[in-house]
Amino acid sequence: MTTIEQLERDVWPDSGPDATFLVARCTALRRKPLADFTVEDLRIMLGQEIGVPALLPLAVRIVLREPLAEGDYFPGDLLTNVLRLPDSAWSNLQAERKQLAAVLAELVASAPFSDPDLRPHDPDRLLRDAIVRFIGR
């Protein structure tokens, strides 16, 4: 089974006992078969912009089916990290980007995202704002 390390032909050294949780987790995920990635695994790696060419297509398939797919934090946490990626991450995924923008345009018009009274730091408001920016790019 293919891993990010195999695709990138770049083996990271073991993270060591003093590594932070995030460093140790990312190092381990680079060695995990892509077919075994969970929503949370994708959320972590895309949030760190690690393995994006291999992982973004997997994440897009998930969020097209279930835009608010949830890792360990809140509904839509995977989508949040997908939307934070630079435009360059989408260079080979233009058709998928258009599909996602269409799905998200419908989502942003629905509850809870249509509520104008969402507080500035509410996860739903932050996600809605990220969706609007993505659609407008």
Side-chain angles (χ1 to χ4, degrees):
M1 292 196 182
T2 306
T3 67
I4 293 170
E5 280 192 347
Q6 290 169 330
L7 289 173
E8 293 181 353
R9 296 179 184 176
D10 182 21
V11 176
W12 288 7
D14 288 333
S15 52
D18 295 331
T20 65
F21 170 81
L22 186 58
V23 168
R25 181 79 186 268
C26 289
T27 302
L29 288 172
R30 286 181 49 79
R31 298 173 181 152
K32 183 175 184 173
L34 297 178
D36 296 340
F37 265 61
T38 66
V39 169
E40 178 63 5
D41 296 338
L42 291 167
R43 184 196 67 77
I44 289 170
M45 295 296 273
L46 292 174
Q48 298 302 308
E49 295 188 28
I50 298 171
V52 173
L55 299 177
L56 183 56
L58 301 175
V60 169
R61 277 188 238 132
I62 291 169
V63 296
L64 283 173
R65 284 192 321 267
E66 186 182 346
L68 299 179
E70 184 174 354
D72 287 352
Y73 289 102
F74 57 89
D77 58 6
L78 174 60
L79 178 60
T80 298
N81 283 358
V82 165
L83 298 178
R84 287 182 181 154
L85 293 170
D87 288 339
S88 60
W90 295 92
S91 61
N92 294 323
L93 299 169
Q94 290 303 308
E96 292 86 347
R97 191 191 184 294
K98 278 186 171 183
Q99 280 183 287
L100 183 57
V103 167
L104 296 179
E106 290 179 27
L107 180 67
V108 81
S110 70
F113 298 105
S114 61
D115 182 355
D117 296 323
L118 289 173
R119 294 173 313 224
H121 298 293
D122 186 306
D124 288 339
R125 166 114 186 233
L126 296 172
L127 183 54
R128 180 187 67 192
D129 293 350
I131 290 170
V132 169
R133 279 191 304 277
F134 182 80
I135 293 170
R137 290 195 276 192

